[in-house]
């Protein structure tokens, strides 16, 4: 179909990197460690809660700002964590996944030509949603600190330059978007780091959108919540996700906590696009939160991810990659510079980014899929991703074992070439 039949705002958008990688995975029957979602089953108590909600005839529209049981449950669960008594009726909105929460926040707060500071690398939806609104994304990269040691790298090695961050603020700057635990690096921002961002936001009267969808995947250290810092509730929107929390990404249930006036603005947009989201699944998420502690769910989930992370790190090191060991989430970045491009890939240098060529070669030659992280940067800083690849380790044992075989082949080939 001709792009002439699209609106001007959509004409810059073409097919996505995700579709291209997925096609290569199918073509080469590759082990998929690229896509960022778990391939294991949701917990039984979560699935049972959804069945009970449907059989209990909770199948009609519910309250537009959020199903009453879910917003009450979220308020009870999160108020102590955020050190603020969240009003369930005015300070919470439930959405069609965290992606809609982001879009509604941007709709509520931004006008064309406003500027938003994004910490790079970032979830690629951030930039696309901003561009749809005619808003200018301004990237500031996390850079690897000089003390980072090859063979012993950590996601904590990715750091911000706060003077650089402040220098990017202009009269048109409205928001800073923070993601912790961070995708794709696996970094968990420390209290001190978040306090520095908060101080800049207060000084320049900015709103912070805190994307915390990986909050229950803190593997090393404590997850600090931006809105819990002194003075930050009134200028922070906190975004969460049932898909990430309970391994039900297909449910698309998200939420945002924040000041009532901003939440109302988000609702005004939500009501005119979606109106309300799936009633029985909101009921099921509420029930799942109520049962989570009784089931010892969060400690067991974190223990599972910690084991998966350690297995993935060992496999990657064996194959000659140098992982930045993630502190949280189920993503990690590796320094892949030792994985040399073959002649077929080198012939396309200049046409495609180095990380994309490495990613496609890894699928083509060794049947392992990753993600090229350059798509998570603004054009200005895309070259910083040249030596990185992103892997996702929330996969079942059979997938990890299949990857182990392929990584072993890479290790053998490298040892033979030395």
């Amino acid at each position: 179909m001709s792009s002439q039949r699209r609106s001007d705002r959509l004409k810059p958008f073409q097919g996505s990197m995700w579709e291209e990688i997925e096609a290569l995975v199918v073509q080469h029957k590759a082990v998929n460690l690229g896509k960022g979602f778990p391939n294991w089953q949701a917990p039984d108590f979560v699935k049972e809660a959804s069945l009970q909600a449907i059989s209990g005839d909770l199948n009609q529209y519910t309250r537009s700002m959020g199903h009453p049981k879910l917003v009450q449950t979220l308020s009870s669960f999160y108020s102590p964590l955020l050190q603020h008594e969240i009003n369930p009726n005015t300070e919470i909105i439930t959405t069609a996944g965290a992606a809609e929460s982001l879009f509604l926040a941007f709709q509520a707060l931004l006008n064309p030509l406003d500027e938003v500071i994004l910490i790079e690398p970032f979830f690629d939806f951030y930039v696309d949603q901003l561009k749809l609104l005619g808003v200018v994304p301004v990237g500031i990269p996390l850079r690897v600190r000089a003390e980072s040691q090859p063979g012993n790298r950590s996601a904590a090695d990715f750091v911000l330059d706060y003077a650089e961050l402040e220098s990017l603020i202009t009269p048109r700057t409205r928001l800073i978007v923070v993601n912790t635990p961070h995708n794709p690096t696996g970094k968990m921002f420390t209290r001190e780091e978040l306090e520095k961002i908060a101080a800049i936001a207060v000084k320049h009267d900015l709103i912070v959108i805190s994307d915390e969808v990986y909050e229950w995947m803190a593997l090393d250290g404590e997850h600090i919540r931006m809105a819990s810092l002194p003075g930050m509730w009134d200028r922070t929107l906190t975004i969460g996700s049932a898909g990430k929390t309970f391994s039900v990404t297909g449910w698309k249930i998200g939420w945002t906590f924040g000041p009532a006036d901003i939440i109302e603005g988000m609702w005004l947009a939500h009501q005119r696009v979606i109106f309300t989201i799936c009633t029985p699944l909101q009921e099921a998420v509420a029930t799942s939160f109520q049962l989570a502690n009784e089931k010892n769910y969060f400690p067991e989930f974190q223990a599972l991810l910690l084991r998966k992370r350690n297995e993935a790190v060992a496999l990657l090191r064996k194959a000659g990659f140098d992982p930045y060991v993630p502190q949280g989430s189920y993503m990690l970045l590796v320094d892949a510079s030792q994985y040399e491009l073959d002649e077929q890939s080198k012939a396309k240098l200049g046409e495609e980014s180095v990380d994309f060529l490495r990613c496609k070669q890894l699928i083509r030659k060794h049947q392992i899929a990753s993600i090229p992280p350059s798509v998570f940067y603004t054009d200005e800083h895309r070259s910083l991703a040249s030596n990185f690849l992103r892997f996702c380790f929330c996969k079942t044992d059979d997938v990890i074992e299949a990857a182990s075989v392929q990584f072993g082949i890479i290790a053998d080939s490298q040892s033979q070439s030395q």
Side-chain angles (χ1 to χ4, degrees):
M1 183 178 293
S2 171
S3 62
Q4 297 302 314
R5 298 171 67 175
R6 298 177 192 160
S7 66
D8 289 344
R9 75 176 64 87
L10 285 176
K11 285 178 182 176
F13 296 96
Q14 304 298 327
S16 73
M17 169 275 299
W18 305 98
E19 294 170 343
E20 185 172 356
I21 296 299
E22 189 65 26
L24 288 171
V25 168
V26 172
Q27 179 184 346
H28 295 281
K29 298 180 173 60
V31 181
N32 197 342
L33 301 183
K35 273 200 166 179
F37 62 85
N39 72 322
W40 52 62
Q41 297 298 312
D44 287 342
F45 76 93
V46 175
K47 292 187 288 186
E48 181 60 31
S50 69
L51 296 175
Q52 289 179 357
I54 292 170
S55 63
D57 289 329
L58 291 170
N59 298 306
Q60 306 305 325
Y61 294 139
T62 188
R63 177 175 172 269
S64 179
M65 283 185 72
H67 185 55
K69 180 177 176 179
L70 180 54
V71 295
Q72 290 284 350
T73 300
L74 290 172
S75 172
S76 297
F77 198 92
Y78 280 94
S79 288
L81 298 174
L82 292 173
Q83 299 177 38
H84 173 89
E85 191 61 37
I86 305 170
N87 186 317
N89 297 316
T90 62
E91 296 181 329
I92 303 176
I93 185 170
T94 63
T95 58
E100 194 209 355
S101 277
L102 283 164
F103 192 66
L104 294 180
F106 294 153
Q107 286 273 5
L109 292 166
L110 299 170
N111 293 309
L113 301 182
D114 282 346
E115 297 176 3
V116 173
I117 295 178
L118 304 177
I119 297 172
E120 301 169 291
F122 46 66
F123 180 44
D124 55 338
F125 273 26
Y126 295 172
V127 162
D128 290 347
Q129 290 188 0
L130 292 173
K131 287 181 176 178
L132 282 171
L133 295 174
V135 175
V136 180
V138 179
I140 177 169
L142 290 165
R143 292 186 171 89
V144 178
R145 58 186 173 190
E147 299 83 2
S148 181
Q149 295 296 316
N152 191 33
R153 300 189 190 275
S154 165
D157 293 341
F158 288 95
V159 294
L160 273 180
D161 181 327
Y162 297 94
E164 180 184 8
L165 170 60
E166 191 161 14
S167 74
L168 296 173
I169 296 172
T170 76
R172 297 212 66 89
T173 306
R174 297 290 180 265
L175 303 174
I176 302 174
V177 181
V178 178
N179 174 211
T180 184
H182 185 259
N183 172 24
T185 66
K187 174 184 176 66
M188 288 176 56
F189 283 80
T190 65
R191 182 178 298 276
E192 180 183 5
E193 290 174 318
L194 292 178
E195 285 174 344
K196 289 179 179 179
I197 297 172
I200 291 171
V202 171
K203 179 180 177 180
H204 295 277
D205 194 23
L206 304 178
I207 302 296
V208 175
I209 294 180
S210 189
D211 180 350
E212 301 183 21
V213 298
Y214 300 103
E215 60 186 317
W216 300 108
M217 304 179 199
L219 306 179
D220 293 330
E222 179 187 5
H223 171 55
I224 307 298
R225 302 169 191 277
M226 176 66 83
S228 71
L229 300 181
M232 287 306 292
W233 168 264
D234 284 336
R235 63 176 67 249
T236 302
L237 294 174
T238 303
I239 294 176
S241 163
K244 301 297 191 296
T245 298
F246 294 112
S247 299
V248 286
T249 58
W251 287 15
K252 296 299 290 181
I253 305 292
W255 52 83
T256 302
F257 310 129
D261 60 326
I262 304 179
I263 295 297
E264 182 182 24
M266 294 175 65
W267 169 71
L268 289 172
H270 173 73
Q271 189 184 41
R272 286 158 176 80
V273 179
I274 291 179
F275 171 61
T276 188
I277 60 172
C278 182
T279 303
L281 295 186
Q282 289 192 78
E283 175 84 6
V285 171
T287 301
S288 299
F289 268 111
Q290 292 172 351
L291 294 174
N293 289 334
E294 172 190 327
K295 301 291 185 180
N296 199 37
Y297 171 69
F298 292 117
E300 291 182 2
F301 184 44
Q302 289 165 337
L304 171 65
L305 288 174
L306 185 62
R307 175 173 69 84
K308 296 290 183 182
R309 180 200 72 177
N310 293 342
E311 290 172 351
V313 166
L315 290 176
L316 288 160
R317 284 176 173 161
K318 178 182 176 183
F321 298 102
D322 194 1
Y324 291 83
V325 178
Q327 301 168 294
S329 85
Y330 42 52
M331 316 293 187
L332 62 80
L333 286 186
V334 301
D335 182 330
S337 56
Q338 297 303 307
Y339 184 72
E340 295 185 0
L341 296 179
D342 61 15
E343 293 305 314
Q344 181 176 336
S345 297
K346 288 178 181 178
K348 295 185 178 181
L349 284 170
E351 300 175 21
E352 298 182 57
S353 63
V354 174
D355 63 318
F356 213 128
L357 291 171
R358 270 203 188 94
C359 174
K360 294 202 286 190
Q361 179 177 309
L362 191 60
I363 296 173
R364 170 171 48 84
K365 291 187 70 172
H366 296 107
Q367 292 75 55
I368 297 175
S370 60
I371 292 297
S374 59
V375 297
F376 304 138
Y377 288 80
T378 58
D379 291 342
E380 180 182 0
H381 299 129
R382 212 174 293 280
S383 63
L384 294 174
S386 293
N387 288 330
F388 294 148
L389 291 176
R390 191 196 81 171
F391 291 91
C392 178
F393 54 85
C394 55
K395 307 300 177 184
T396 50
D397 289 346
D398 61 313
V399 173
I400 298 298
E401 288 166 6
S404 177
V405 172
Q406 300 308 117
F407 281 127
I409 293 171
I410 296 173
D412 291 343
S413 66
Q414 288 184 334
S415 63
Q416 292 170 8
S417 64
Q418 293 174 350

